[in-house]
CSV table of all heavy atoms in Angstrom, one decimal:
chain,number,residue,atom,x,y,z
I,58,LYS,N,-10.1,18.3,-9.5
I,58,LYS,CA,-10.2,18.7,-8.1
I,58,LYS,C,-10.0,20.3,-8.0
I,58,LYS,O,-10.8,20.9,-7.3
I,58,LYS,CB,-9.1,18.0,-7.2
I,58,LYS,CG,-9.2,16.5,-7.3
I,58,LYS,CD,-8.2,15.8,-6.4
I,58,LYS,CE,-6.7,16.1,-6.8
I,58,LYS,NZ,-6.4,15.4,-8.1
I,59,SER,N,-9.0,20.8,-8.7
I,59,SER,CA,-8.7,22.2,-8.6
I,59,SER,C,-9.8,23.0,-9.2
I,59,SER,O,-10.2,24.0,-8.8
I,59,SER,CB,-7.4,22.6,-9.3
I,59,SER,OG,-6.3,21.9,-8.7
I,171,ASP,N,-5.9,23.9,-1.8
I,171,ASP,CA,-5.6,23.1,-2.9
I,171,ASP,C,-4.2,22.5,-2.8
I,171,ASP,O,-3.2,23.2,-3.2
I,171,ASP,CB,-5.8,23.9,-4.2
I,171,ASP,CG,-5.8,23.0,-5.5
I,171,ASP,OD1,-5.6,21.8,-5.3
I,171,ASP,OD2,-5.9,23.5,-6.6
I,172,GLU,N,-4.1,21.3,-2.4
I,172,GLU,CA,-2.8,20.7,-2.1
I,172,GLU,C,-1.7,21.6,-1.5
I,172,GLU,O,-0.6,21.8,-2.0
I,172,GLU,CB,-2.2,20.2,-3.5
I,172,GLU,CG,-3.2,19.3,-4.2
I,172,GLU,CD,-2.6,18.4,-5.3
I,172,GLU,OE1,-1.5,18.0,-5.1
I,172,GLU,OE2,-3.3,18.2,-6.3
J,302,LIG,MG1,-4.9,20.4,-8.9
Side-chain angles (χ1 to χ4, degrees):
Chain I
K58 303 181 294 292
S59 299
D171 193 357
E172 308 197 34

